[in-house]
């Protein structure tokens, strides 16, 4: 990695830092001096600088703010002010705005004069003289409607918009629900301050999914596969410590029944099966509920109903598979009471 990074042309440092994973970015930044970091950051747009800013040293951020013009500095400070999981942290400032009182022909000439349009552009934002957004003009309407028609006559006044303080996961759900490509971001007064695009939303969804998956595996953050042994080991300590603690509790519970196990050795052989099935059932329930929470399907109103349903599912599975296990135990050990104990143990374990 370091050999390849040393071969990269300096003018491409910024865009590469923007695309690599957090852990790789952190390792690359550690090898760069202040001048290299400033040059890399200055080659990026304001919203892109905000994306990598959390990984840059504080002295680099301070010096970078002094090198930007007043408008870019204000935009960067605004983007850095919003929490990570909000729309404000995901929005960019690459927008195309028009007035409602011009014709579509004028709007088309304006776009041709721009030469290059922002990525993920499927609509123009219609604003008044004070930059309050009053509508959006989809590009398909701009291209298929009579050029002499006014923007006001063609624009859409009922549109989805966000505030920078809105939660990012709610915005992601709205993008999915309404098949959005981009949407305006407005302040409390309705003034246009940025836009949210589908590529930023997809990146957020992917990063959130990765973080959830790593958390379920007991990892605190994205782990670089090529990081040092010490760092990789330390990253996994917390859940290993918790699992060790719970394992000790389980062992003490088992220790309290040593006398019973000594009298009936079959219990020691069958006990791992009950624990394994119980753990698998728990993983199934967790996966279903976590997914439902992420999709906004779980609310306080029907939380109780869901709990009752899961208890009924556990009871059904406990009786069926506990019965199967009980029959096998009776056949193996010729002990009816042992089979009944296994049925009861499996049912109670799944219910818990």
């Amino acid at each position: 990695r370091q050999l390849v990074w040393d071969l990269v042309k300096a003018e491409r440092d910024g865009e590469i830092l923007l695309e690599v994973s957090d852990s790789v970015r952190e390792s690359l930044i550690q090898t760069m001096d202040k001048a290299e970091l400033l040059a890399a950051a200055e080659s990026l747009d304001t919203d892109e600088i905000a994306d990598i800013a959390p990984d840059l040293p504080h002295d680099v951020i301070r010096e970078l703010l002094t090198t930007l013009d007043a408008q870019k500095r204000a935009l960067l400070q605004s983007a850095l002010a919003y929490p990570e999981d909000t729309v404000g942290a995901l929005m960019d400032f690459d927008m195309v705005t028009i007035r409602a009182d011009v014709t579509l022909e004028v709007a088309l000439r304006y776009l041709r004069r721009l030469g290059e349009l922002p990525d993920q552009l499927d609509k123009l934002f219609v604003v008044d003289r004070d930059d309050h957004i009053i509508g959006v003009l989809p590009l398909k309407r701009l291209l298929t409607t009579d050029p002499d028609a006014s923007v006001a006559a063609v624009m859409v006044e009922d549109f989805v918009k966000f505030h920078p303080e809105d939660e990012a996961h709610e915005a992601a759900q709205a993008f999915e629900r309404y098949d959005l490509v981009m949407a305006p971001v407005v302040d409390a007064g309705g003034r246009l301050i940025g836009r949210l695009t589908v590529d930023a939303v997809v990146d957020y969804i992917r990063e959130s999914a990765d973080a959830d998956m790593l958390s379920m595996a007991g990892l605190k953050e994205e782990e670089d596969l090529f990081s040092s042994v010490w760092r990789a080991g330390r990253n996994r300590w917390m859940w290993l410590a918790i699992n060790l603690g719970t394992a000790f509790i389980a062992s003490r519970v088992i220790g309290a029944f040593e006398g019973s196990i000594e009298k009936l050795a079959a219990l020691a052989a069958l006990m791992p099966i009950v624990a394994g099935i119980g753990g698998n059932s728990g993983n199934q329930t967790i996966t279903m509920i976590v997914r439902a929470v992420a999709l906004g399907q779980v609310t306080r109103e029907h939380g109780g109903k869901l709990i009752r349903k899961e208890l009924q599912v556990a009871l059904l599975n406990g009786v069926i598979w506990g019965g199967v296990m009980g029959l096998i135990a009776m056949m193996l050990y010729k002990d009816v009471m042992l089979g009944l104990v296994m049925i009861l143990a499996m049912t109670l374990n799944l219910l818990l």
Side-chain angles (χ1 to χ4, degrees), residues 22-156:
D22 292 346
S23 56
V24 174
R25 183 188 304 125
E26 186 178 336
S27 70
L28 294 178
I29 285 176
Q30 289 175 352
T31 68
M32 302 172 67
D33 58 33
K34 182 187 291 187
E36 290 174 319
L37 289 172
L38 285 171
E42 288 171 354
S43 68
L44 301 174
D45 293 334
T46 307
D47 57 292
E48 294 173 335
I49 297 174
D51 288 338
I52 67 169
D55 297 318
L56 296 176
H58 292 300
D59 58 336
V60 173
I61 293 294
R62 285 196 299 270
E63 191 163 335
L64 180 62
L65 287 171
T66 63
T67 63
L68 298 175
D69 59 52
Q71 182 181 13
K72 284 190 174 182
R73 184 165 58 249
L75 290 175
L76 179 57
Q77 290 174 329
S78 173
L80 293 175
Y82 297 111
E84 184 178 355
D85 293 329
T86 61
V87 168
L90 300 180
M91 69 178 179
D92 66 53
F93 309 102
D94 202 3
M95 302 170 291
V96 179
T97 61
I98 55 173
R99 297 286 174 81
D101 55 357
V102 302
T103 64
L104 299 185
E105 175 60 33
V106 172
L108 285 168
R109 285 204 305 268
Y110 172 60
L111 293 182
R112 284 193 290 269
R113 195 162 62 248
L114 288 177
E116 185 176 352
L117 297 177
D119 293 333
Q120 315 299 329
L121 185 76
D122 72 329
K123 60 177 72 72
L124 309 180
F125 299 145
V126 185
V127 298
D128 62 17
R129 296 185 181 277
D130 297 320
D131 284 334
H132 292 99
I133 187 165
I134 57 177
V136 297
L137 177 60
L139 290 185
K140 60 183 179 181
R141 290 196 182 189
L142 175 62
L143 297 174
T144 58
T145 308
D146 183 358
D148 293 328
S150 68
V151 169
V154 180
M155 71 180 185
V156 177

Side-chain angles (χ1 to χ4, degrees), residues 94-242:
D94 202 3
M95 302 170 291
V96 179
T97 61
I98 55 173
R99 297 286 174 81
D101 55 357
V102 302
T103 64
L104 299 185
E105 175 60 33
V106 172
L108 285 168
R109 285 204 305 268
Y110 172 60
L111 293 182
R112 284 193 290 269
R113 195 162 62 248
L114 288 177
E116 185 176 352
L117 297 177
D119 293 333
Q120 315 299 329
L121 185 76
D122 72 329
K123 60 177 72 72
L124 309 180
F125 299 145
V126 185
V127 298
D128 62 17
R129 296 185 181 277
D130 297 320
D131 284 334
H132 292 99
I133 187 165
I134 57 177
V136 297
L137 177 60
L139 290 185
K140 60 183 179 181
R141 290 196 182 189
L142 175 62
L143 297 174
T144 58
T145 308
D146 183 358
D148 293 328
S150 68
V151 169
V154 180
M155 71 180 185
V156 177
E157 298 181 51
D158 182 18
F159 56 93
V160 177
K161 59 185 175 183
F162 301 102
H163 294 91
E165 300 84 7
D166 291 343
E167 294 187 16
H169 77 273
E170 293 181 355
Q173 291 173 5
F175 264 71
E176 180 186 10
R177 185 179 306 119
Y178 301 115
D179 295 327
L180 299 175
V181 175
M182 58 173 280
V185 181
V186 300
D187 62 16
R191 187 177 291 105
L192 182 67
I193 59 174
R195 67 168 187 157
L196 185 62
T197 59
V198 67
D199 56 338
V201 170
V202 169
D203 287 344
Y204 169 78
I205 293 172
R206 178 183 56 79
E207 291 169 4
S208 298
D210 288 347
D212 289 343
M213 188 163 53
L214 289 167
S215 295
M216 291 180 70
L219 298 174
K220 291 187 295 183
E221 58 187 25
E222 183 180 358
E223 181 179 319
D224 180 4
L225 288 176
F226 302 99
S227 61
S228 67
V229 172
W230 171 255
R231 182 174 179 181
R234 190 177 56 186
N235 192 37
R236 308 178 192 191
W237 282 353
M238 183 181 73
W239 279 107
L240 290 177
I242 293 174

